[in-house]
Amino acid sequence: MNLDLLARFYERMFLIRTFEQTVEAYFARGQMRGTTHGSIGQEAIAVGVLSHVHPDEDFVTGTHRSHGHFLALTGRVFELASELMGKKTGVIHGRGGSQHLAFGNFLTNGITGGMLPSAVGVALAKKLKGEPGVVISFLGDGGMNEGHTLEALNLAGAFQTPNIFVLENNHYAMSTVTERVTGGTFESRVRGFGLPYVRHRALDVLEIHRLFGEIYQRVRETRRPVFLEFETYRLCGHSKSDKREYVVPELEAYWRENDPLLRARRALPEETVREIEERVRRQVAEAFRRAEEAPFPDPAEELKPRP
Amino acid sequence: MNLDLLARFYERMFLIRTFEQTVEAYFARGQMRGTTHGSIGQEAIAVGVLSHVHPDEDFVTGTHRSHGHFLALTGRVFELASELMGKKTGVIHGRGGSQHLAFGNFLTNGITGGMLPSAVGVALAKKLKGEPGVVISFLGDGGMNEGHTLEALNLAGAFQTPNIFVLENNHYAMSTVTERVTGGTFESRVRGFGLPYVRHRALDVLEIHRLFGEIYQRVRETRRPVFLEFETYRLCGHSKSDKREYVVPELEAYWRENDPLLRARRALPEETVREIEERVRRQVAEAFRRAEEAPFPDPAEELKPRP
Amino acid sequence: MRYIEHLRQAIEDLLAQDPTVYLLGEDIEEPYGGAFKVTKGLSTKFPGRLLSMPMSEQGYTGLGIGMALAGLKPIVEIMFGDFVTLVVDQVVNHLAKFYEMYDRPLHYVLRTPSGGYRGYGATHSQSLERLFLGIPGLRVVAPNVLSDPGALLKTSVNLGMPVIFVENKLDYARPVVTQGAFGDLFVVETAVADRFPVQRLALPDEPPEVSFVTYGGVLQEVIQAQERLLYDHEVIAETLVISDLSHGRVETLPLRGRAVVVVEESWVQFGWARDVAYRIQHHAGKPALALGARDHYIPASEPLERFVLPTASRIVTETLQFLERATP
Amino acid sequence: MRYIEHLRQAIEDLLAQDPTVYLLGEDIEEPYGGAFKVTKGLSTKFPGRLLSMPMSEQGYTGLGIGMALAGLKPIVEIMFGDFVTLVVDQVVNHLAKFYEMYDRPLHYVLRTPSGGYRGYGATHSQSLERLFLGIPGLRVVAPNVLSDPGALLKTSVNLGMPVIFVENKLDYARPVVTQGAFGDLFVVETAVADRFPVQRLALPDEPPEVSFVTYGGVLQEVIQAQERLLYDHEVIAETLVISDLSHGRVETLPLRGRAVVVVEESWVQFGWARDVAYRIQHHAGKPALALGARDHYIPASEPLERFVLPTASRIVTETLQFLERATP
Ligand SMILES: Cc1ncc(C[n+]2csc(CCOP(=O)(O)OP(=O)(O)O)c2C)c(N)n1
Ligand SMILES: Cc1ncc(C[n+]2csc(CCOP(=O)(O)OP(=O)(O)O)c2C)c(N)n1
Ligand SMILES: [Mg+2]
Ligand SMILES: [Mg+2]
């Protein structure tokens, strides 16, 4: 096992979790407006997958639940905290909020699955222009039943674009157990759109990193799409106000026990863990403090009259 | 072979073809307004499938190309000709035209695949109310890539509704060879929505009748959906103005040779064929003549002020 | 009783009294009871009558259309009004057409919570009922805190014509007052008695100089403007709040002000307010100003959001300017 | 040159001069060249630049958005304007938001043929560009037979802001006249010089009593009305035809009539015309009437369709009545 790599990944995972917990605390104290979707429990996917990205060449699309993706990609805690507080120092100056992030080649939006047609378009553009790089798109199990998602999969299959679809199947869409409202299997329908399909239980960040690395290389070379389903679990509420009364006890128990963050933690020397956690806690606290003090944006600057 | 049944089916198929040819002639002479989509070559499916329907119990949804479905179901040539001419004696008094028909439990619309969510809803209502009957829905290969179609298939799979989806795969969407813009296979994606899938090459109307009869009984009994794909072919233009420059020569040759209408015709005694064709030609000519003479609808009667 | 309780009670009554009523939507069953808790508790009381849907707005909007064609009365919930963008085809090219072209009485209500001022950002704050205004065969209805949301919902379900029923997220928690005293100052009365009434909020005795016309959740900002106009500027205003957005006969509204300000939460350009103002000018012959959101997406950050959406203070300022311009 | 030839030539120029321009749509390649033949011949001349799409309007509208995000200039064709119902979410919640909220210059044109009077029935005759009017971050542009459709398309493709480009099915076959004599009677001139100009059709010398304001294909009915008013009623009219529907500054239109009649093909309630009329009344201080389709789906049968859609004869009648009412 590569302990250095694991320590690096653990630090990023712990950063995400600490960030999400801090956000929960802010909301609980009424210090944040709007809404938020945390990614506690799913950090290993964001970190393992996005460790491979070439930010200038590749393009990444996120979802409504993309704090983790953003932090895995950029590490910019202060900008994200600022964005959630609606501050001028935010990722897009507070214009977007938790669900609407844009940073270089990374975009998210609040319509579940709605980014996927664009993601295929970016990949098609790469193909047409003969540019390198791939498009990595996160999506949820719930979003798998949306028409735009299914149409996007068909387009990727028909035009054989360099897309990697990363399904974070955490079993729930909000409170709905997705399986109960879904016909058939994701595997068969994905294959039915002409995409190769891989499934993996997302327990081990190094394993995720290794697996995704293979797929990433393959898509970079073949310029053809792959669909990758991660079994995962959200160990927090869907959004700020969710009491989680709907959880399936067996699922909950399994994933509490197999939290990928704790697994990574257990594999590292205690000393390393302590150092990392202290550093990250300081970093996050500091970032939120600075964000609190940052100014609000000025409408006159952010919102220009129409052309 | 049941010659009586075949003669009956042949008569209906020949009625549809004669109707479509007459419509083509009217358009060519500039005697009809609007547009029209003929079903020449596909008559055996309409006739074989709809020979089973109980008009009061079952529900049927058509497409933009539903003259054949309507005639197979009702035999009402005069009303359909009137509808196409915009006459008061039309199926819905000329309000709808070729693509917008409604007659009892039979509805069509001009948005390809757009009727399918409704079709699942009617079937769900039957299930909820404990009523007998099934819902039979026609769709095209092109329409298989629309989001609403795919969402409807998922809903039918998830709620296990008594739907029979009848895909008339004539290989083209307008001028597009559907296969070239479609990822994967219809079979795999349909199964991926939790629906059993059956494929059949639609050459023989008696065989279609037999096969559909089995499926029909099964769905009536199990109250669960089935998806049935017919390989077929359109031996006419997509719409009134189509010069058919896009046809794939091998497909064209195969289906010219295997026109199901001619196959049925060859299997019948010459005398029977002559009698049927004469009768049908008279019937159609008479219906169009009467439709020409029929009055136009009155806006004051058809379009009431809003409530 | 709060707005949400009126709605919940009405849905409960409908389910209890009419076995053909069904609810469709995402997460509407227990233990969630809907993203805004409107259906909380109901799936336990009425097993099988609330159908939790997959994330498939087009699909289940159409599913409801089929149920309506089969004689049921579906109430379909779209979780946020912003997502009606996904169902425009099913509603405009199917539901509305079946109703009028195929001449089928359809009982169909599409409920959706709309509106901003909450920092939810660009795809969770819009008032997109505008997409359905003016489409033949559809009725757009919006309750408010002066009109009983439950009664409006019952009327909509039994109308026999498809209804887009626009609720407001912030109104859910507010109390509803349909007659009598409202706060210390104002009185509520029915200005136009109708299945979808027009309610008036006014001072008990004094005749108003200006009439506000509005609908839905932005009423809150209008009421504040009405107060500030009185206290800070000694301008007396009344407010008429409309619940039938598409078919309400604004031509004959009993307007008592000499000038009219029509306020909507959505973008003012090509919106509801300008249409209403146009009709008031033509038919009542009174000068009418339309106010609404500025021409920008709705940002998340509070000062930006409040710059874009109409606020009490902007309503006050623009009303005063308008009164000056419109002085005879 | 006919309207369709202007468009085809412009697309050809764009493809030839700018390698980032791509066309997406159903059946746009040879031998079909598009349902209305706008792209006829182009896929042979520019291999790989026209991408025939599956029937998947949501999907490929979004595909184009991604291409635009990646710096290309897609021109997306939706075969009939009625089907834009399917892409409202991609356009409103994605394209428009990316452009303004994410502050990305996007070159994106969605072309679609609109309009009725052809007996195609309820789902193939609508003018649904109204769905996009007033949505921030979108521009709605419509050519007409007095404004060069090709020039407008080129401007739209290079604007850096998403454009919904609404063509008219019946206009395709009509000749375009942008300056000088139009028929025996009228003269065309540019009333407002702009990237998206306003064109005027008028008698050469006589000042008009009434000004029509309109856009797109219904101009045909307006011109007929203009003729009949002159011949049958001795009323002189001019017509101003707008090409920038969403952003055109109608507040400052050089209107020469004492009264204004705004005509659109779509349903008059909550439509473009009433918004324009509202603004003209407020800013130009002239009485302005809005006319459009009646409140019904568009039927196939000719007498029914012509009852619903605005016709020259209805325009004449209502204009005369309005002039009478609006006489000072
Ligand atoms: C089109 C659309 N429908 C509904 C919602 C409301 N909503 C936000 S997240 C969510 C559940 C998403 O489930 P999934 O796709 O599995 O992602 P997860 O939340 O589990 O990460 C819902 C219903 C939305 N944002 N967009
Ligand atoms: C949503 C939508 N997109 C496009 C069209 C235009 N159109 C009508 S029929 C057709 C092709 C349909 O192909 P298919 O589904 O295979 O049916 P077929 O015509 O072969 O019977 C197209 C593109 C439409 N009517 N509706
Ligand atoms: Mg999920
Ligand atoms: Mg086909």
Side-chain angles (χ1 to χ4, degrees), chain A residues 147-264:
Chain A
H148 44 231
T149 302
L150 300 167
E151 290 192 17
L153 296 179
N154 180 55
L155 290 168
F159 297 122
Q160 293 290 310
T161 45
N163 285 95
I164 309 179
F165 299 99
V166 180
L167 168 57
E168 299 184 77
N169 186 346
N170 62 9
H171 307 284
Y172 305 108
M174 207 167 265
S175 73
T176 302
V177 178
T178 300
E179 237 186 350
R180 293 189 197 146
V181 292
T182 300
T185 65
F186 290 156
E187 169 159 6
S188 168
R189 60 170 89 163
V190 164
R191 291 195 189 279
F193 291 115
L195 307 181
Y197 170 92
V198 179
R199 179 167 38 217
H200 180 76
R201 185 168 296 180
L203 297 173
D204 184 317
V205 67
L206 287 177
E207 196 44 36
I208 294 167
H209 171 75
R210 191 201 52 72
L211 172 71
F212 191 80
E214 273 174 34
I215 291 173
Y216 180 72
Q217 278 315 326
R218 179 167 134 204
V219 176
R220 276 182 86 86
E221 281 154 28
T222 61
R223 320 303 294 149
R224 289 165 173 283
V226 171
F227 190 103
L228 171 57
E229 173 174 355
F230 284 114
E231 272 183 82
T232 181
Y233 200 74
R234 140 167 85 66
L235 287 166
C236 59
H238 162 74
S239 65
K240 60 164 191 196
S241 54
D242 175 8
K243 298 195 201 67
R244 301 187 82 242
E245 293 166 308
Y246 49 80
V247 297
V248 180
E250 304 78 56
L251 271 176
E252 185 76 12
Y254 175 87
W255 285 95
R256 288 261 165 236
E257 199 133 307
N258 292 282
D259 179 353
L261 183 131
L262 296 184
R263 172 192 289 243

Side-chain angles (χ1 to χ4, degrees), chain A residues 37-38 42 63-65 99 110-114 139-144 146 148 167-175 178 234 238, chain C residues 26-27 55-57 60 79-80 83 86 123-124, chain D residues 89:
Chain A
H37 304 103
Q42 304 181 193
T63 66
H64 58 292
R65 192 182 301 290
Q99 299 191 76
I111 304 298
T112 50
L139 75 153
D141 43 298
M144 275 297 286
E146 294 280 8
H148 44 231
L167 168 57
E168 299 184 77
N169 186 346
N170 62 9
H171 307 284
Y172 305 108
M174 207 167 265
S175 73
T178 300
R234 140 167 85 66
H238 162 74
Chain C
E26 292 164 32
D27 300 281
M55 295 183 62
S56 177
E57 286 83 0
Y60 67 78
M79 193 183 282
F80 279 75
F83 313 154
L86 291 163
T123 63
H124 283 65
Chain D
D89 185 68

